């Protein structure tokens, strides 16, 4: 693995190896040393969680970071080309971790520079480190990635997190239940991909009463702004809010995940149940990103 | 020898014939060919074909196609046959094939794709789907071949 640009580039074997490295880092069996290593965090689009997670991952390994957030103070404002910006940054650092609203920008960056590039989100396209930390969270709570029942809830149309997760879990033979308002359904191209891979999925309008056979429920936020008429939002929002009372007949191993930030789609009363896993999931992001960085820099 | 073959072989001394173009695609083929405006061009539309039912055909005198033109035509009319005529004889005949990797031929229809904001050679790959679709190697979006625009 020279770069991490898209989940499409990874084989199941590579994913499982990365999961093992992340577990060893978490358990202290591997202690990667990034002293004297510098990661450039280029966030052309604002992000707090992903950026802090990478920053933490690097610093937990005694490495350091240089951070560019937004485009306000960059040479792009002076007319410098994207390729020149990247090549200059590559002279200073050992690895580039970048987020951009432009789709395909991380792939292009990996062609322009000769140091490893990690895609931390390119528009609506890919967010592979989120998908990998989700997989790591699933394997930690379920013991395996094979043949699980996964529920995906909320905005399935615009959420790249659920797209990547669906595609990644399809590699391991998952069954899916999709919970979303009709106009925020999983896009057809993802459903086509799943069909082509022989993956079963069913679409629902309501979570309540339909989650008892799930191993994982992955909740995402429905943005009010997506609705042309605010009244339509008020009508449907209740169907996609998870409450403690809905968890009475779920499986023992059932876990609730969320990429965060949460607004009101998971009621606070779920937080203290043994099923809530969204905060440990965020912590898993650091181990996963430590594994990704150290593997790309040849330290493990 | 069929009537169509006689026409194409005998009608021009030197040049190129593109035969077995799926009926209705001739306009797109003509768009791809960089014609100066002074060439002798003969076009047949909706002709009967044993091989593909209805077909279009074009004959251009004194023109050899560039690699770009051949690859572009292969993309929109992959069933076409390319015939090079030299001194009234068929010098070369080749069945076009849909290329697996398509470089610098298509513009990505996704306005948010990096290929539309940076000076980058576009790269597409045929998908494994049954319908003819291509996937942009940058933004990873998938498009039907009929939806994409060939570069000028």
């Amino acid at each position: 693995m020279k770069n991490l640009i898209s989940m499409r580039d990874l084989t199941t074997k590579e994913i499982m190896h990365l999961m093992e490295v992340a577990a060893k880092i978490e358990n202290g069996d591997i202690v990667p040393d990034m002293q004297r290593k510098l990661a450039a965090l280029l966030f052309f689009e604002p992000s707090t969680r992903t950026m802090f997670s990478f920053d933490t991952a690097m610093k937990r390994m005694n490495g350091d970071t240089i951070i560019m957030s937004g485009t306000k103070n960059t040479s792009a404002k002076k007319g410098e080309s994207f390729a020149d910006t990247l090549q200059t940054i590559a002279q200073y650092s050992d690895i580039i971790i970048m987020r951009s609203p432009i789709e395909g920008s991380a792939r292009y960056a990996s062609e322009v520079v000769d140091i490893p590039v990690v895609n931390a989100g390119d528009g609506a396209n890919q967010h592979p480190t989120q998908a990998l930390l989700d997989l790591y969270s699933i394997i930690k709570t379920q013991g395996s990635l094979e043949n699980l029942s996964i529920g995906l809830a909320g905005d399935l149309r615009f959420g790249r997190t659920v797209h990547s997760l669906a595609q990644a879990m399809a590699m391991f033979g998952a069954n899916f239940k999709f919970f979303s308002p009709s106009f925020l359904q999983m896009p057809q191209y993802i459903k086509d991909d799943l069909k082509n891979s022989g993956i079963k999925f069913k679409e629902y309008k309501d979570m309540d009463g339909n989650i008892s056979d799930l191993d994982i429920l992955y909740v995402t936020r429905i943005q009010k702004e997506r609705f042309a008429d605010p009244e339509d939002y008020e009508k449907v929002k209740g169907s996609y809010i998870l409450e403690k009372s809905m968890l009475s007949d779920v499986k023992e191993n059932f876990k609730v995940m969320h990429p965060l930030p949460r607004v009101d789609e998971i009621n606070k009363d779920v937080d203290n149940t043994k099923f809530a896993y969204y905060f440990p999931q965020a912590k898993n992001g650091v181990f996963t990103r430590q594994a990704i960085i150290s593997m790309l820099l040849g330290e493990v | 020898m069929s009537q169509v073959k006689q026409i194409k072989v005998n009608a021009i001394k030197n040049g190129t014939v593109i035969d077995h173009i799926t009926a209705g695609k001739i306009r797109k083929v003509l768009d791809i060919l960089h014609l100066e405006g002074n060439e002798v061009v003969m076009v047949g539309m909706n002709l009967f074909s044993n091989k593909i039912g209805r077909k279009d055909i074009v004959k251009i005198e004194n023109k050899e196609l560039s690699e770009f033109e051949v690859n572009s035509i292969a993309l929109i009319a992959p069933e076409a046959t390319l015939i090079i005529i030299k001194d009234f004889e068929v010098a070369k005949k080749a069945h076009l094939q849909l290329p697996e990797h398509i470089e610098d031929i298509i513009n990505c229809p996704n306005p948010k794709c990096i290929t539309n904001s940076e000076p980058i050679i576009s790269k597409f790959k045929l998908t494994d789907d049954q319908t003819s679709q291509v996937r942009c190697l940058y933004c990873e979006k998938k498009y039907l071949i009929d939806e994409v625009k060939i570069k000028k």
Side-chain angles (χ1 to χ4, degrees), chain A residues 127-169:
Chain A
H127 192 1
T129 64
Q130 178 72 46
L132 289 166
L133 82 87
D134 291 340
L135 293 185
Y136 184 59
S137 299
I138 292 170
I139 204 169
K140 255 180 84 176
T141 58
Q142 308 297 325
S144 161
L145 293 175
E146 308 279 340
N147 303 316
L148 296 170
S149 291
I150 313 273
L152 301 175
D155 181 353
L156 307 185
R157 182 175 170 190
F158 297 103
R160 67 182 165 202
T161 310
V162 286
H163 300 167
S164 300
L165 184 60
Q167 285 169 326
M169 284 308 296

Side-chain angles (χ1 to χ4, degrees), chain B residues 49-117:
Chain B
S49 161
N50 281 329
K51 197 175 157 192
I52 59 169
R54 293 276 165 192
K55 68 172 185 181
D56 293 345
I57 184 170
V58 59
K59 295 171 282 173
I60 315 128
E61 228 170 36
N62 298 321
K63 178 171 173 75
E64 276 193 36
L65 302 193
S66 68
E67 195 184 335
F68 175 85
E69 288 168 325
V70 173
N71 289 337
S72 303
I73 293 167
L75 195 65
I76 60 151
E79 62 296 310
T81 310
L82 187 69
I83 302 156
I84 314 284
I85 307 292
K86 286 201 174 141
D87 207 14
F88 296 111
E89 295 293 327
V90 174
K92 198 179 165 192
K93 189 171 180 178
H95 295 287
L96 295 183
Q97 276 192 331
L98 205 53
E100 198 181 328
H101 293 274
I102 303 142
E103 280 198 23
D104 208 17
I105 292 176
I106 305 169
N107 286 319
C108 183
N110 175 9
K112 290 180 182 165
C113 178
I114 184 105
T115 56
N116 288 315
S117 58

Side-chain angles (χ1 to χ4, degrees), chain A residues 230-292:
Chain A
E231 264 185 36
D232 290 340
Y233 171 74
E234 295 303 323
K235 267 185 232 161
V236 302
K237 72 171 189 182
S239 305
Y240 308 98
I241 293 177
L242 186 70
E243 292 172 357
K244 191 179 175 180
S245 60
M246 293 156 69
L247 303 174
S248 57
D249 60 348
V250 295
K251 287 164 77 172
E252 267 301 297
N253 60 313
F254 176 73
K255 290 285 180 269
V256 180
M257 291 171 58
H258 191 300
L260 303 178
R262 159 181 63 168
V263 181
D264 59 1
E265 56 279 11
I266 300 175
N267 199 306
K268 287 239 177 248
D269 66 5
V270 177
D271 292 7
N272 294 325
T273 69
K274 65 176 182 177
F275 307 113
Y277 198 71
Y278 20 96
F279 294 117
Q281 182 188 350
K283 188 173 182 178
N284 290 337
V286 177
F287 303 127
T288 312
R289 288 175 174 124
Q290 281 180 280
I292 291 163

